[in-house]
Amino acid sequence: MASNSLAAKRGVKNKTKNKVLLLVKIRIAGIFAGVKKSLKGERRDKIKLIAFSLLMLYSFGVMIYTIGSFTKAFVEVGFADVVLPMMATSGAMLMLISTVFRGGNSLFAPKDYDFVSSLPLSDSEIVISRLITQYIYEFFFVIIVFLPAVSVYAYLVSPPLIFWILIIPTILLLPCIPAFIGSLAAVIITFIASRFRHKNLGTIIIGLLFVFGAMYFSSMMGTYANSEKIAEMGEFLSAKLKYVYFPAHLLGRGLTGEILPWLAYFAISVVCVAILIFFLNKNHRKMYAYITSIKTKAGRRPVSKRTTASLSSAKTAAANVRRTSPTMALYKKEFRRYFSCPTYVLNTIHRADNGFTNRRGRILCSYGKDIRRLGSLLRLDDCQDTADSVRVCYYAFINDIVVNLS
Amino acid sequence: MLRIENLTKSYKKGKPAVKGLSLHVEAGDIYGFIGHNGAGKTTTIRAVIGALDFEEGDIFIDGHSIKDDPIYCKSVTAYIPDTPEPYEFLTGAQYLAFIGDIFGVDPVKREELVEEYTRRFEIDNVLDNLISSYSHGMKQKLVVTSALIHSPKLLVLDEPFVGLDPKASHNLKQIMREKCEEGCAVFFSTHVLDVAEKLCNKIAVIKNGELHASGRMEDVIGSISLEEYFLEVIEDGE
């Protein structure tokens, strides 16, 4: 029958579906919206998608190779116990920064807020679906930072049975604590930024202050006086990580056989998630109302999608347009658009930092041409031939990291 | 069907967006909700659909309080916003399937209603396309269809005729009348006073967050047109 074939074509299912999973499926589909659009688009869109995918694969490959190489270097130098906590900390920092800058909107003020709120869904279902989506997004950092390190570590170290029992739940729990801290920070930053007229700019500035403040705070925790003795670096790094990100210290101990620290890490992760769900359940509406209202002289008012300008602001806008040239008007518009989105600013800072780090790394690697000289700087007696040049470069990197941490 | 009692909503350190609003929409009513820009129409509607908390008062849908039983209230309500934003990365069919799944609509019934309304709105031939390729009017028609497939008892529409072509507007008005004859209630805000005057049997006028007048159309506006009445109300306050 026509209706049956139409039902089959339309994918009409005959069973009750879990509403949380339906929402999560929609949100995840939203992340890959661009891919879907390209696949359904013209030939040139598909070519662009293939080119972009290859570029992303190459980038991920380089990143995974770098992380794997770092891990190998750490293990070879004798810092095997430190490498997984260090990578967990690195991943946590990335997740934290991502949540701070993205979490405010995706957790508290998603674009489909009104629509989802009008559906027959409980607050818990809505909140949990957002958290699961955020978790999946953060898991990306676990895949590119922690998984390569785990793979190389497991291959080189041949860890005990306890490692294999605990590693899967450890990987699954990694995003929990950074998501909690990041969400808390996002709440505070949003609350402070919403008191200003230019909320997005406020979010960017306060967010950057938070991130740099956290980095400065962690650098205050102890100094490393002797950078020439590699053997002491391991102890220093271990002590440093304990202050910078204590849960990583717990999971590091757990993965080497101490079950109690791992259980503590598990408990902290679960408690963080429970608190986050409880807080969001109670306050997500208030947070949305606060984020989407603006401060005016008459007090706060909601921003409607079709706002009518008052007469006075229309006069001011008209005066501004008369004063600037078309080029300047366009420039100002782009300038304001850039600062209206924290992601743009964050990406710029991230690219600039990468460029600086890569330059520093290339300078260091150039010393690899003179292995003996670099080896003597690091007090390495066995760097006698060029086959060790890669290893020495990584020693230089580690030395550089340690010196910078101190 | 919809009873709003003493609804008051304020934003922090600001004057109330809505203050002491009370009105009653019965089954079979097509209830128009009009007011100037910033009067509090959207705030009221958002409170009715459960997207906005409010300080005082209560809202009852089919006898159930939105505060005590929000899931039931939302399951019998269909909301059509002024700016339709269905997920652009889905096809029309996938979007309707999503709504049907969320509301737990029986697949056979869902299929019948989807076919009926998409054919009436002439979007049945684009359901397999991505929503990102739809025009504003097509999105509006899709959202209206999604609102109707779960057979709601209360239709809440925020300026539903914006972006609809004349034929689609006519279809929507017809559907609203049919729904009311079936025992549903329609509550919608609009700036198109002409349509409100012809379509609605009852009306509420909101001004600066407070209800100015409500009741049967002929009782509220008397012998003048709705447009003339509205302009008088607005000018009184200036």
Side-chain angles (χ1 to χ4, degrees), chain B residues 70-143:
Chain B
I71 306 294
Y72 175 82
C73 292
K74 292 175 189 181
S75 68
V76 298
T77 304
Y79 170 56
I80 299 168
D82 55 346
T83 46
E85 290 178 348
Y87 299 113
E88 296 205 339
F89 47 86
L90 298 178
T91 63
Q94 287 170 340
Y95 179 76
L96 293 173
F98 169 70
I99 296 293
D101 289 340
I102 289 285
F103 281 91
V105 182
D106 174 69
V108 173
K109 178 101 176 116
R110 184 196 309 185
E111 189 57 35
E112 283 172 15
L113 292 171
V114 164
E115 276 192 72
E116 180 193 339
Y117 291 118
T118 54
R119 210 176 334 106
R120 280 175 86 164
F121 285 119
E122 294 174 350
I123 56 169
D124 52 332
N125 57 336
V126 295
L127 284 184
D128 289 326
N129 298 347
L130 286 177
I131 295 173
S132 56
S133 66
Y134 288 14
S135 66
H136 173 89
M138 288 160 74
K139 287 180 190 172
Q140 187 76 337
K141 291 176 192 177
L142 180 70
V143 169

Side-chain angles (χ1 to χ4, degrees), chain A residues 56-69:
Chain A
M56 290 304 290
L57 275 171
Y58 171 74
S59 301
F60 290 147
V62 167
M63 212 175 295
I64 288 168
Y65 176 77
T66 306
I67 300 290
S69 300

Side-chain angles (χ1 to χ4, degrees), chain A residues 86-99 141 178 211 214-215 218 244-245:
Chain A
M86 188 152 183
M87 293 306 168
T89 304
S90 303
M93 290 299 146
L94 290 171
M95 287 184 248
L96 176 69
I97 294 170
S98 165
T99 309
F141 296 108
V211 169
M215 287 163 69
S218 67
V244 170
Y245 189 51

Side-chain angles (χ1 to χ4, degrees), chain A residues 187-220:
Chain A
V187 168
I188 297 167
I189 290 167
T190 303
F191 179 74
I192 297 171
S194 63
R195 291 178 173 271
F196 300 102
R197 190 152 179 252
H198 299 287
K199 280 193 300 184
N200 281 333
L201 192 58
T203 302
I204 291 166
I205 292 169
I206 298 168
L208 287 173
L209 284 172
F210 170 80
V211 169
F212 290 134
M215 287 163 69
Y216 177 74
F217 175 74
S218 67
S219 74
M220 294 293 288

Side-chain angles (χ1 to χ4, degrees), chain A residues 92-380:
Chain A
M93 290 299 146
L94 290 171
M95 287 184 248
L96 176 69
I97 294 170
S98 165
T99 309
V100 164
F101 285 100
R102 283 188 71 254
N105 282 336
S106 68
L107 287 175
F108 307 121
K111 282 169 68 174
D112 60 355
Y113 176 87
D114 274 5
F115 166 66
V116 173
S117 295
S118 70
L119 299 175
L121 300 163
S122 65
D123 283 343
S124 307
E125 284 169 331
I126 294 172
V127 160
I128 289 171
S129 71
R130 287 184 202 164
L131 284 173
I132 291 175
T133 311
Q134 185 71 14
Y135 173 88
I136 291 170
Y137 191 85
E138 305 300 352
F139 208 78
F140 166 76
F141 296 108
V142 174
I143 292 170
I144 62 166
V145 176
F146 196 67
L147 282 186
V150 165
S151 306
V152 173
Y153 174 87
Y155 176 74
L156 290 174
V157 172
S158 300
L161 179 64
I162 189 82
F163 173 88
W164 297 108
I165 295 169
L166 296 178
I167 193 61
I168 300 290
T170 300
I171 289 168
L172 294 174
L173 285 171
L174 273 174
C176 296
I177 299 171
F180 170 75
I181 300 171
S183 300
L184 213 61
V187 168
I188 297 167
I189 290 167
T190 303
F191 179 74
I192 297 171
S194 63
R195 291 178 173 271
F196 300 102
R197 190 152 179 252
H198 299 287
K199 280 193 300 184
N200 281 333
L201 192 58
T203 302
I204 291 166
I205 292 169
I206 298 168
L208 287 173
L209 284 172
F210 170 80
V211 169
F212 290 134
M215 287 163 69
Y216 177 74
F217 175 74
S218 67
S219 74
M220 294 293 288
M221 299 296 178
T223 57
Y224 184 65
N226 189 349
S227 65
E228 292 179 336
K229 291 189 180 175
I230 289 184
E232 290 180 10
M233 280 189 206
E235 290 165 22
F236 170 77
L237 279 172
S238 184
K240 191 80 169 179
L241 285 169
K242 209 170 160 181
Y243 283 113
V244 170
Y245 189 51
F246 184 68
H249 168 76
L250 291 174
L251 79 88
R253 285 174 61 189
L255 291 174
T256 52
E258 295 180 55
I259 193 70
L260 282 177
W262 192 90
L263 286 173
Y265 171 76
F266 174 80
I268 293 171
S269 301
V270 169
V271 165
C272 285
V273 171
I275 293 173
L276 198 54
I277 293 174
F278 177 77
F279 174 79
L280 281 175
N281 245 350
K282 292 276 179 200
N283 298 296
H284 74 102
R285 273 184 230 285
K286 284 181 202 156
M287 289 300 303
Y288 178 80
Y290 211 78
I291 289 170
T292 55
S293 62
I294 59 167
K295 191 175 166 161
T296 68
K297 286 179 186 172
R300 297 199 78 86
R301 59 160 293 135
V303 177
S304 67
K305 288 171 185 170
R306 295 180 293 115
T307 331
T308 309
S310 67
L311 186 60
S312 59
S313 63
K315 276 185 180 171
T316 308
N320 280 338
V321 168
R322 280 199 292 274
R323 279 208 293 271
T324 60
S325 66
T327 310
M328 189 53 72
L330 277 171
Y331 171 76
K332 278 184 180 175
K333 189 227 4 165
E334 289 302 324
F335 191 74
R336 283 191 193 113
R337 181 159 67 158
Y338 174 79
F339 281 104
S340 71
C341 181
T343 306
Y344 296 156
V345 177
L346 187 65
N347 279 343
T348 307
I349 293 168
H350 181 59
R351 295 290 168 267
D353 179 61
N354 267 353
F356 174 71
T357 307
N358 286 340
R359 187 167 174 272
R360 189 177 61 198
R362 283 197 295 274
I363 289 170
L364 277 175
C365 267
S366 72
Y367 276 109
K369 292 174 189 170
D370 189 350
I371 299 301
R372 287 188 190 178
R373 185 178 164 204
L374 184 58
S376 68
L377 281 173
L378 295 172
R379 297 284 177 91
L380 296 172

